[in-house]
Amino acid sequence: MNRCPPNTDKKALKRWFFIDKRVRQIFFLKSTSLHLLGPSVNHHIFEVISFSTSTKLMDIKSNHNAPVLTGTAPMNKSRLGIHSSLYSPPGVVFSPGRILTIPRRKPVKLDDVWSSSWLDAMKSSSPTHRKKAKNSGNEMASTDTDVAYHNWMLKYPSALASFEQIINNAKGKRIALFLDYDGTLSPIVDNPDCAVMSNAMRAAVKNVAQYIPTAIVSGRSRDKVYEFVGLKELYYAGSHGMDIMGPVRQGSNDHPNCIRSTDKQGKEVNLFQPASEFLPMIDKIYRSLVETTKSIEGAKVENNKFCVSVHYRNVDEKHWKTIAQYVQETLKDYPRLRLTHGRKVLEVRPVLDWDKGKAVEFLLESLGLSNSDDVLPIYVGDDRTDEDAFKVLRDGNCGFGILVSSVPKESKAFYSLRDPSEVMVFLKSLVVAKKSSSL
Ligand SMILES: O=P(O)(O)OC[C@H]1O[C@H](O[C@H]2O[C@H](CO)[C@@H](O)[C@H](O)[C@H]2O)[C@H](O)[C@@H](O)[C@@H]1O
């Protein structure tokens, strides 16, 4: 059943057909062979389907012409942390006769598959890359991108447009605010050393921290992010939450890796470093990665104390595969380290059950704000590592995440903000609400 919306002009008609075609293709894949393709493809499909309007999905779901799956299924990429994209998985062909064909491939070495999977992830973790890819196909003009973003916002409403709702939910509750740094408080820039925060943003963060307990939770080393933010009114968690400096609270934080320390102002604090035993290993792999990637123009390796970032933002795309291979080779000697993907960055970190979500729980406990119905934690972040925090809040049904993104992304957040400038408006609005006693 392929019903077209009535009274549409030519341009809208073309757009509708494109979206409809895309959703139908995906639905055929979903309805027949999802289990054969593995969780990463499942995620991919979920993401694409979230763009469609419910009316279109209803039309499509009523189509029972099941396709036939032939060929071999691609490798399950989920264990490599592959992110979904808006496009069909490479190698999957949708034939006009509704027969889904996955081409047979020559047997390949596992290593080759791994590096090409890494490459896929590197490409899909770059929103600008995805945008270029769409436009180069001439299938999706900018208006269509806008339509996609608009549809996405139905699922992740703007935290500014929904501000009144947020305030109503927060009435009578104590808010705790968690802020990611790069891409949230400072715009993404080519040189990670130059990701400074504007004075206006600094003032907004300082202001909000006067009314609401506020912590920065970053992938950067704690020292580095403190250098950028420079506000003593906040709590800081660096290295994706593996280095937390929080308040001292009697009877809490009795974790084995928690020690009393003093901050830069001489105040007594709790220092929690669950990955401290990895320090020599991280230092070693940092030096190896600097060495192995030095021949690749634009590559930059950053030591984030308990994790290492390998940046490829300034590397020509034709060398991305080489970077992936080098990092993969180096990691082979370190089974206790793993890799995650960020925004044009490969993140090497300890195999440890600790992430930004755990850091948020830890800080809430330190602040005496855990297990309390009258606390509303809000986490604002833009990256995949922030998803761990969004998930903790969503699953615990205790607060919510706000995803900062100018492109549609599947997320565990509840709300969205387009970019750091909207984050700043949101922070200022919280202050106004606090001052006017609306909160
Ligand atoms: O958790 P975050 O505070 O968001 O830190 C994540 C990574 O952010 C930085 O890299 C990103 O921002 C850079 C500056 O805009 C950009 O050049 C880079 O491409 C991005 O990936 C930081 O340099 C990394 O160490 C952090 O892990």
Side-chain angles (χ1 to χ4, degrees):
M1 195 146 42
N2 188 8
R3 283 201 305 271
C4 197
N7 308 325
T8 37
D9 62 26
K10 224 172 156 186
K11 209 169 148 203
L13 206 63
K14 207 174 138 206
R15 188 160 60 233
W16 188 88
F17 272 118
F18 169 71
I19 296 171
D20 180 60
K21 191 176 114 204
R22 175 67 56 192
V23 174
R24 268 188 294 120
Q25 286 173 339
I26 294 303
F27 178 68
F28 295 152
L29 175 61
K30 185 179 170 67
S31 62
T32 57
S33 54
L34 214 47
H35 62 288
L36 292 175
L37 298 175
S40 72
V41 177
N42 193 343
H43 184 82
H44 165 101
I45 287 158
F46 182 65
E47 193 173 52
V48 175
I49 281 183
S50 72
F51 290 109
S52 64
T53 65
S54 52
T55 329
K56 281 174 195 144
L57 263 183
M58 273 164 59
D59 279 358
I60 292 153
K61 278 184 177 162
S62 64
N63 187 334
H64 296 294
N65 294 338
V68 180
L69 179 73
T70 61
T72 52
M75 176 185 167
N76 178 352
K77 293 174 184 171
S78 63
R79 62 177 295 232
L80 296 170
I82 301 307
H83 188 59
S84 57
S85 74
L86 293 175
Y87 288 84
S88 309
V92 177
V93 178
F94 298 93
S95 78
R98 291 182 180 170
I99 293 175
L100 173 64
T101 319
I102 297 174
R104 289 185 187 280
R105 294 192 186 138
K106 281 191 206 142
V108 284
K109 283 203 314 210
L110 197 60
D111 278 3
D112 292 344
V113 178
W114 279 28
S115 24
S116 69
S117 301
W118 280 28
L119 191 64
D120 288 349
M122 287 162 84
K123 286 179 182 169
S124 69
S125 71
S126 153
T128 46
H129 184 278
R130 280 194 292 188
K131 206 149 93 195
K132 265 191 238 152
K134 280 181 214 167
N135 291 340
S136 65
N138 276 339
E139 280 193 294
M140 218 173 182
S142 63
T143 47
D144 296 311
T145 311
D146 293 344
V147 169
Y149 192 79
H150 178 82
N151 286 343
W152 176 77
M153 279 177 71
L154 299 175
K155 193 173 171 193
Y156 303 97
S158 159
L160 294 179
S162 316
F163 195 72
E164 214 179 303
Q165 185 191 356
I166 291 174
I167 293 306
N168 286 337
N169 286 338
K171 282 227 166 81
K173 293 187 177 175
R174 288 171 292 163
I175 297 180
L177 191 58
F178 299 92
L179 304 168
D180 167 56
Y181 183 73
D182 288 280
T184 297
L185 296 182
S186 70
I188 293 294
V189 293
D190 283 349
N191 184 350
D193 296 334
C194 298
V196 288
M197 190 173 157
S198 70
N199 287 334
M201 181 65 99
R202 186 168 297 101
V205 176
K206 190 180 163 116
N207 249 336
V208 81
Q210 285 174 4
Y211 296 93
I212 295 170
T214 303
I216 304 287
V217 186
S218 172
R220 303 247 188 190
S221 75
R222 186 168 45 79
D223 282 348
K224 184 79 187 181
V225 78
Y226 181 79
E227 216 177 276
F228 277 136
V229 178
L231 294 171
K232 59 179 181 344
E233 296 83 351
L234 316 176
Y235 304 105
Y236 291 86
S239 308
H240 296 295
M242 288 178 283
D243 188 4
I244 305 178
M245 192 173 265
V248 173
R249 191 164 173 260
Q250 297 302 331
S252 76
N253 303 141
D254 45 4
H255 295 261
N257 289 303
C258 204
I259 55 162
R260 291 283 160 91
S261 181
T262 45
D263 68 8
K264 289 197 166 72
Q265 289 73 46
K267 196 172 74 196
E268 204 187 4
V269 288
N270 246 335
L271 186 61
F272 182 59
Q273 298 182 327
S276 49
E277 62 168 305
F278 288 87
L279 264 185
M281 194 186 286
I282 292 290
D283 204 47
K284 205 165 151 211
I285 199 167
Y286 165 71
R287 280 184 277 111
S288 305
L289 287 168
V290 168
E291 195 52 36
T292 48
T293 59
K294 73 177 181 202
S295 57
I296 304 173
E297 202 187 322
K300 183 176 172 69
V301 186
E302 191 182 1
N303 189 340
N304 286 329
K305 193 162 182 171
F306 295 104
C307 46
V308 176
S309 296
V310 182
H311 293 275
Y312 55 91
R313 181 169 295 280
N314 303 318
V315 174
D316 192 315
E317 198 179 322
K318 63 176 183 277
H319 300 308
W320 287 9
K321 192 172 176 191
T322 316
I323 283 234
Q325 278 165 346
Y326 284 0
V327 175
Q328 180 191 330
E329 268 306 308
T330 314
L331 265 181
K332 270 185 187 159
D333 299 330
Y334 297 87
R336 296 184 69 209
L337 298 179
R338 67 187 173 108
L339 179 120
T340 55
H341 295 268
R343 297 180 71 171
K344 292 194 177 168
V345 67
L346 300 170
E347 314 254 28
V348 177
R349 54 201 282 185
V351 176
L352 196 73
D353 185 21
W354 198 264
D355 52 38
K356 287 185 172 185
K358 292 259 165 45
V360 166
E361 289 176 320
F362 181 93
L363 278 162
L364 283 171
E365 194 188 323
S366 308
L367 292 161
L369 297 175
S370 57
N371 303 322
S372 181
D373 286 346
D374 70 345
V375 174
L376 182 76
I378 301 177
Y379 187 105
V380 191
D382 73 314
D383 215 341
R384 265 192 253 176
T385 55
D386 300 311
E387 290 295 329
D388 296 318
F390 296 155
K391 187 172 184 306
V392 159
L393 300 185
R394 184 183 272 266
D395 292 354
N397 200 20
C398 58
F400 57 83
I402 301 178
L403 176 67
V404 183
S405 182
S406 57
V407 292
K409 274 185 197 172
E410 191 54 34
S411 174
K412 292 275 180 196
F414 268 93
Y415 296 102
S416 65
L417 289 168
R418 200 177 262 270
D419 52 31
S421 67
E422 286 201 357
V423 173
M424 189 162 79
V425 176
F426 180 75
L427 300 181
K428 285 181 176 175
S429 308
L430 282 177
V431 173
V432 171
K434 268 280 178 193
K435 277 186 174 166
S436 66
S437 309
S438 314
L439 269 175

